[in-house]
Amino acid sequence: MISPQLLELEQSIYNLSLEDKLWLLDKIFEQVRDTATHQQEKDLQHLNYDDQVKPIWEIAVEIGAKIPDSEWENVPSDLSKNFDLYQRYLQAAEPPNPHAMAEPRHEK
């Protein structure tokens, strides 16, 4: 249930000018961001670095080495540039054409 103080605050905010509402919104964002940042820092304090664990890039290289060259030849050379396009292709019936992408819209 919403407290009477919050309902009163809501009415007070309703009566503010737009400038004051924007100022208040900015202050609320600052507090939320600071709270989230503090929580993230607190969470990171519990992490310990283990130099015995293999780096993720080495694991990726090992996995990639197990894939035959014939399969790597099927990976599009522009995959990193057009990843979203190829992701949509997986859900579509026809292969994507990265060169037929829509032209950017110009604002009037």
Side-chain angles (χ1 to χ4, degrees):
M1 183 168 172
I2 298 174
S3 70
Q5 291 90 352
L6 283 177
L7 293 173
E8 185 179 331
L9 180 59
E10 179 185 27
Q11 184 59 43
S12 297
I13 292 170
Y14 179 78
N15 294 327
L16 293 174
S17 69
L18 178 59
E19 182 179 338
D20 289 345
K21 288 177 183 178
L22 292 172
W23 178 88
L24 181 59
L25 185 61
D26 185 52
K27 295 300 176 189
I28 291 170
F29 281 146
E30 282 179 18
Q31 285 197 12
V32 169
R33 183 181 56 240
D34 291 346
T35 301
T37 301
H38 177 71
Q39 184 62 44
Q40 287 173 345
E41 290 171 356
K42 188 176 170 184
D43 291 345
L44 290 175
Q45 290 174 354
H46 300 291
L47 295 179
N48 295 318
Y49 179 74
D50 185 352
D51 59 359
Q52 300 299 311
V53 175
K54 193 179 299 187
I56 189 70
W57 64 268
E58 286 183 14
I59 296 169
V61 169
E62 288 175 2
I63 293 170
K66 295 177 184 177
I67 300 171
D69 288 342
S70 60
E71 288 299 317
W72 282 115
E73 290 171 7
N74 294 326
V75 176
S77 61
D78 62 344
L79 181 62
S80 65
K81 293 179 187 174
N82 295 303
F83 182 77
D84 291 339
L85 181 67
Y86 287 105
Q87 281 292 98
R88 286 192 300 271
Y89 162 65
L90 292 175
Q91 300 168 359
E94 57 188 63
N97 182 352
H99 304 293
M101 293 173 62
E103 292 292 324
R105 287 183 268 158
H106 299 286
E107 298 291 326
K108 292 183 179 181

